[in-house]
Coordinates of all heavy atoms in Angstrom, one line a residue:
T276 N 85.7 94.0 66.6 CA 86.7 93.4 67.4 C 86.2 92.6 68.6 O 86.9 91.8 69.2 CB 87.6 94.5 68.0 OG1 86.8 95.5 68.7 CG2 88.5 95.2 66.9
T277 N 84.9 92.8 68.9 CA 84.4 92.1 70.1 C 83.2 91.3 69.7 O 82.2 91.8 69.2 CB 83.9 93.1 71.2 OG1 84.9 94.1 71.3 CG2 83.6 92.5 72.5
L278 N 83.3 90.0 69.9 CA 82.1 89.2 69.6 C 81.3 88.8 70.8 O 81.8 88.3 71.8 CB 82.6 87.9 68.8 CG 83.2 88.2 67.5 CD1 83.8 86.9 66.9 CD2 82.3 88.9 66.5
L279 N 80.0 89.1 70.7 CA 79.1 88.8 71.8 C 78.6 87.4 71.7 O 78.1 87.0 70.6 CB 78.0 89.8 71.7 CG 76.9 89.7 72.7 CD1 77.4 90.0 74.1 CD2 75.8 90.7 72.4
A280 N 78.8 86.6 72.7 CA 78.3 85.2 72.6 C 76.8 85.2 72.8 O 76.2 86.0 73.6 CB 79.0 84.4 73.7
S281 N 76.1 84.3 72.1 CA 74.6 84.3 72.1 C 74.1 83.9 73.5 O 72.9 84.1 73.8 CB 74.1 83.4 71.0 OG 74.5 82.1 71.2
D282 N 74.9 83.3 74.4 CA 74.4 83.0 75.7 C 74.9 83.9 76.8 O 74.8 83.6 78.0 CB 74.7 81.5 76.0 CG 76.2 81.3 76.0 OD1 77.0 82.2 75.6 OD2 76.6 80.2 76.5
D283 N 75.6 85.0 76.4 CA 76.1 85.9 77.4 C 75.0 86.9 77.7 O 75.0 88.0 77.1 CB 77.4 86.6 76.8 CG 78.0 87.6 77.8 OD1 77.4 87.8 78.9 OD2 79.0 88.2 77.4
F284 N 74.1 86.6 78.6 CA 73.0 87.5 78.8 C 73.4 88.8 79.5 O 72.7 89.8 79.3 CB 71.9 86.7 79.6 CG 71.3 85.6 78.8 CD1 71.6 84.3 79.2 CD2 70.5 85.9 77.7 CE1 71.1 83.2 78.4 CE2 70.0 84.8 77.0 CZ 70.3 83.5 77.3
V285 N 74.4 88.8 80.3 CA 74.9 90.0 80.9 C 75.4 90.9 79.8 O 75.1 92.1 79.7 CB 76.0 89.8 81.9 CG1 76.3 91.1 82.6 CG2 75.5 88.7 82.9
G286 N 76.2 90.3 78.8 CA 76.7 91.1 77.7 C 75.6 91.6 76.9 O 75.6 92.8 76.4
I287 N 74.5 90.8 76.7 CA 73.4 91.3 75.9 C 72.7 92.5 76.6 O 72.3 93.4 75.9 CB 72.4 90.1 75.7 CG1 73.0 89.1 74.7 CG2 71.1 90.6 75.1 CD1 72.3 87.8 74.6
S288 N 72.6 92.4 77.9 CA 72.0 93.5 78.6 C 72.8 94.8 78.4 O 72.3 95.9 78.3 CB 71.7 93.2 80.1 OG 72.9 93.3 80.8
F289 N 74.1 94.7 78.4 CA 75.0 95.8 78.2 C 74.7 96.4 76.8 O 74.6 97.6 76.6 CB 76.5 95.5 78.2 CG 77.1 95.6 79.6 CD1 77.4 94.4 80.3 CD2 77.2 96.8 80.2 CE1 78.0 94.5 81.6 CE2 77.8 96.9 81.5 CZ 78.2 95.7 82.2
W290 N 74.5 95.5 75.8 CA 74.3 96.0 74.4 C 72.9 96.7 74.3 O 72.7 97.7 73.7 CB 74.3 94.8 73.4 CG 75.8 94.6 73.0 CD1 76.7 94.0 73.7 CD2 76.4 95.1 71.7 NE1 77.9 94.0 73.0 CE2 77.7 94.6 71.8 CE3 75.9 95.7 70.6 CZ2 78.6 94.9 70.7 CZ3 76.8 96.0 69.6 CH2 78.1 95.6 69.6
L291 N 71.9 96.0 74.9 CA 70.5 96.6 74.9 C 70.5 98.0 75.5 O 69.9 98.9 74.9 CB 69.5 95.7 75.6 CG 69.1 94.4 74.9 CD1 68.3 93.5 75.9 CD2 68.3 94.7 73.7
V292 N 71.1 98.1 76.7 CA 71.0 99.4 77.3 C 71.8 100.4 76.5 O 71.4 101.6 76.4 CB 71.5 99.3 78.8 CG1 71.6 100.7 79.5 CG2 70.6 98.4 79.6
S293 N 73.0 100.0 76.0 CA 73.7 101.0 75.2 C 72.9 101.5 74.0 O 72.9 102.7 73.7 CB 75.1 100.5 74.8 OG 75.0 99.3 74.0
M294 N 72.2 100.6 73.3 CA 71.4 101.1 72.2 C 70.2 102.0 72.6 O 69.9 103.0 71.9 CB 70.9 99.9 71.4 CG 72.0 99.2 70.6 SD 72.9 100.4 69.6 CE 74.6 100.0 70.0
A295 N 69.6 101.6 73.7 CA 68.5 102.5 74.2 C 69.0 103.9 74.6 O 68.4 104.9 74.4 CB 67.9 101.8 75.4
L296 N 70.3 103.9 75.1 CA 70.9 105.2 75.5 C 71.1 106.0 74.2 O 70.9 107.2 74.2 CB 72.2 105.0 76.3 CG 72.0 104.5 77.7 CD1 73.3 104.0 78.3 CD2 71.4 105.6 78.6
L297 N 71.6 105.4 73.2 CA 71.9 106.1 71.9 C 70.6 106.7 71.3 O 70.5 107.8 71.0 CB 72.5 105.1 70.9 CG 72.7 105.6 69.5 CD1 73.7 106.8 69.5 CD2 73.2 104.5 68.6
A298 N 69.5 105.8 71.3 CA 68.2 106.3 70.8 C 67.7 107.5 71.6 O 67.2 108.5 71.1 CB 67.2 105.1 70.8
S299 N 67.8 107.4 72.9 CA 67.3 108.4 73.8 C 68.0 109.7 73.6 O 67.5 110.8 73.6 CB 67.4 108.1 75.3 OG 67.2 106.8 75.5
T300 N 69.3 109.6 73.4 CA 70.1 110.8 73.1 C 69.7 111.5 71.9 O 69.4 112.8 71.9 CB 71.6 110.4 73.0 OG1 72.0 109.7 74.1 CG2 72.5 111.6 72.9
A301 N 69.5 110.8 70.8 CA 68.9 111.4 69.6 C 67.6 112.0 69.9 O 67.3 113.2 69.5 CB 68.8 110.3 68.5
F302 N 66.7 111.3 70.6 CA 65.4 111.8 70.9 C 65.4 113.1 71.6 O 64.8 114.1 71.2 CB 64.6 110.7 71.7 CG 63.2 111.1 72.0 CD1 62.2 111.0 71.1 CD2 63.0 111.6 73.3 CE1 60.9 111.3 71.5 CE2 61.7 112.0 73.7 CZ 60.7 111.8 72.8
F303 N 66.2 113.1 72.7 CA 66.2 114.4 73.5 C 66.7 115.6 72.8 O 66.2 116.7 72.8 CB 67.0 114.2 74.8 CG 66.3 113.2 75.8 CD1 67.0 112.2 76.4 CD2 65.0 113.4 76.1 CE1 66.4 111.3 77.3 CE2 64.3 112.5 77.0 CZ 65.1 111.5 77.6
F304 N 67.8 115.4 72.0 CA 68.4 116.5 71.3 C 67.4 117.0 70.2 O 67.3 118.2 69.9 CB 69.7 116.2 70.7 CG 70.8 116.2 71.7 CD1 71.7 115.2 71.9 CD2 70.9 117.3 72.6 CE1 72.7 115.3 72.9 CE2 71.9 117.4 73.6 CZ 72.8 116.4 73.7
I305 N 66.7 116.1 69.6 CA 65.8 116.5 68.5 C 64.5 117.2 69.1 O 64.0 118.2 68.7 CB 65.4 115.4 67.6 CG1 66.7 115.0 66.8 CG2 64.3 115.7 66.7 CD1 66.6 113.7 66.0
E306 N 64.0 116.6 70.2 CA 62.8 117.1 70.9 C 63.0 118.4 71.6 O 62.1 119.1 71.9 CB 62.3 116.1 71.9 CG 61.6 114.9 71.2 CD 60.3 115.5 70.5 OE1 59.4 116.0 71.1 OE2 60.3 115.3 69.3
R307 N 64.3 118.7 71.9 CA 64.6 120.0 72.6 C 63.9 121.2 72.0 O 63.5 122.1 72.7 CB 66.1 120.1 72.6 CG 66.6 121.4 73.3 CD 68.1 121.6 73.0 NE 68.6 122.7 73.8 CZ 68.4 124.0 73.4 NH1 67.8 124.2 72.2 NH2 68.9 125.0 74.1

Side-chain angles (χ1 to χ4, degrees):
T276 51
T277 313
L278 294 177
L279 178 64
S281 58
D282 61 350
D283 177 0
F284 294 108
V285 184
I287 292 171
S288 79
F289 273 110
W290 276 78
L291 284 175
V292 176
S293 59
M294 288 308 132
L296 287 167
L297 174 62
S299 324
T300 305
F302 178 81
F303 290 131
F304 282 130
I305 291 167
E306 281 300 297
R307 180 188 183 279

